[in-house]
Amino acid sequence: MVLAGCQTNSTGFGRAPDSPYAPGTYGTLEDSVDGLIVGHRLTAAGEHELALKAYKRAAVEHGFTVDVLSALGSANLQLGRLGQAEKLLRRATQVDVNFAPAWNNLGVVLMETGQVSEAVRAFEIAFGLDRGQSAEIRENLRLALANQGNPDYDPANNDTFSLVRRGSGDYLLLSEI
């Protein structure tokens, strides 16, 4: 004999036997743990995909507050989804222009996408809002400023190249030594 569950109620899952609807839930949203808290714990554990799901649940619970938008953006950043992260973090900075973590994380995204000057500005805003208290923001600003003054392009290693046409639509890049 196979049992459907550990219930003594013969109607199953607390619904009327003649009900055409699926069974209800056993708890309410108020009974669950806050999605932001769960997401932060999952992020700390390195479970960024699960954290993103928890942050989405937090968006349902709280709406798109600066905390939720910043958390969603940060989770996307950790997952390498830089375009999504940038959109969410920009939105977070519009919702609350005084939220330093959103500015800091936006700066990180901008650095990752090569927008160094804009990243410096985001870090400067975060640094000002934080009053220089966060070592992480301070270090990010320092690195961005160093990167801004020292771009990846090295003019000393500027080789001369020629583009030579070979037939119709076929080109060859030659180095002039």
Side-chain angles (χ1 to χ4, degrees):
M1 176 183 233
V2 178
L3 300 175
C6 297
Q7 291 196 2
T8 57
N9 182 350
S10 63
T11 60
F13 300 107
R15 65 178 175 96
D18 58 346
S19 174
Y21 301 106
T25 61
Y26 284 102
T28 63
L29 198 55
E30 293 81 29
D31 295 337
S32 64
V33 178
D34 184 7
L36 277 173
I37 294 171
V38 172
H40 293 332
R41 289 178 182 164
L42 288 166
T43 296
E47 296 291 340
H48 304 295
E49 194 69 50
L50 293 173
L52 185 61
K53 290 179 182 182
Y55 292 143
K56 288 177 183 178
R57 187 172 55 108
V60 172
E61 294 170 3
H62 303 288
F64 286 103
T65 64
V66 68
D67 291 319
V68 170
L69 288 167
S70 182
L72 286 166
S74 299
N76 277 293
L77 171 62
Q78 293 295 327
L79 292 167
R81 300 172 186 161
L82 301 180
Q84 292 173 334
E86 183 178 350
K87 287 177 188 174
L88 289 161
L89 291 166
R90 284 190 187 279
R91 197 163 152 205
T93 60
Q94 291 169 350
V95 169
D96 185 355
V97 296
N98 297 318
F99 193 65
W103 283 106
N104 181 60
N105 290 340
L106 177 60
V108 172
V109 170
L110 294 170
M111 284 297 293
E112 290 291 322
T113 58
Q115 302 173 61
V116 179
S117 295
E118 196 174 355
V120 167
R121 183 67 186 132
F123 289 135
E124 287 173 341
I125 293 170
F127 184 80
L129 291 170
D130 185 58
R131 295 181 186 92
Q133 299 298 310
S134 169
E136 179 183 85
I137 294 174
R138 209 172 30 251
E139 180 64 12
N140 286 343
L141 177 58
R142 187 191 67 74
L143 290 172
L145 287 169
N147 203 359
Q148 185 181 33
N150 185 17
D152 290 336
Y153 176 71
D154 184 9
N157 192 16
N158 187 10
D159 295 331
T160 308
F161 294 96
S162 295
L163 191 61
V164 179
R165 184 174 183 164
R166 300 177 61 201
S168 62
D170 190 20
Y171 294 89
L172 180 63
L173 189 62
L174 296 175
S175 175
E176 294 177 5
I177 301 175

